[in-house]
Amino acid sequence: MELEYASITQRGKRNRNEDSFFTLDIQDENRWMGIICDGMGGHTKGDVASQFVIKCISDYWKSHSMEPDSEEKIKKACKKTSIAFTEKVFELNHVQMGTTMVMASIENDLLTIAHLGDSRCYYLDSSNHVLYQTQDHVSSQYGIERITKCFFSYHPEAVNPEIKQFHIKDGDRIFLCSDGVNKYMASTTLLSILSKDESAKGILAELDTFCETVSQDNYTAILLKVHQA
């Protein structure tokens, strides 16, 4: 398999960008990983939270590159990150901060998707059918939405990622994004853009132009296309 990917991150109409992302490409070992974190609005230091979780999980992935991708590997990475997150919160004088997380990893033809919160992953096949879409971990009461799974100050019980695995094929596409992308456009519009017969970079350039006009939030995306070697 050959993997083609591209990414974007923009401040949008916000004063600062609280999204963070990272990609790890080890194609000579048939491995790849992409992750996006979105600092939670309404709380302080969202940028610190998202950057910290990105670093912890990506460091774990780099230091355990020979460990097979699995549900257990995701859970161990998240548990270690959660412990470090609590220590960071303590260092910052018990600040309330949090972040969502969505990630995808590939080992040979095995795709592992994990998420917490309302950042999303869409997995499409070569015919542009949606094989899988993450469902947001959000509850609503009295018109107020609350994210039920995330990294958040002194709430390790909320770090309970939803994990799915698939076997990828030629022509598949994996798309990760913060909610600044999907929240401000119809799903039909988003899927129409993702289905275009263009390079990953070209598709994200068009998505960037669209989000620049409609999004009211930071927006970040990673698109990966699978090609038969």
Side-chain angles (χ1 to χ4, degrees), residues 21 36 43-44 51 58 64 93 99 110-112 125-126 133 135 157 161 167 170-171 182 190-191:
F21 80 97
I36 291 174
H43 303 281
T44 59
Q51 291 166 17
S58 61
H64 293 77
N93 198 27
T99 182
L110 180 64
L111 166 66
T112 304
D125 66 13
S126 58
Q133 173 187 325
Q135 299 301 308
E157 76 284 354
H167 289 281
D170 180 40
N182 60 273
L190 175 57
L191 294 175

Side-chain angles (χ1 to χ4, degrees), residues 9-10 27 34 36 40-41 45 54 56 58 69-70 116 128 137 156 158 176 182 191 201 204 207 223-225:
T9 187
Q10 300 287 1
Q27 290 198 41
I36 291 174
M40 291 168 61
K45 298 188 181 297
I54 288 283
C56 287
S58 61
D69 287 2
S70 65
L116 296 157
N128 298 316
H137 299 134
L176 307 174
N182 60 273
L191 294 175
K201 186 176 181 180
L204 288 194
L207 186 75
L223 175 62
L224 179 135
K225 299 176 69 176

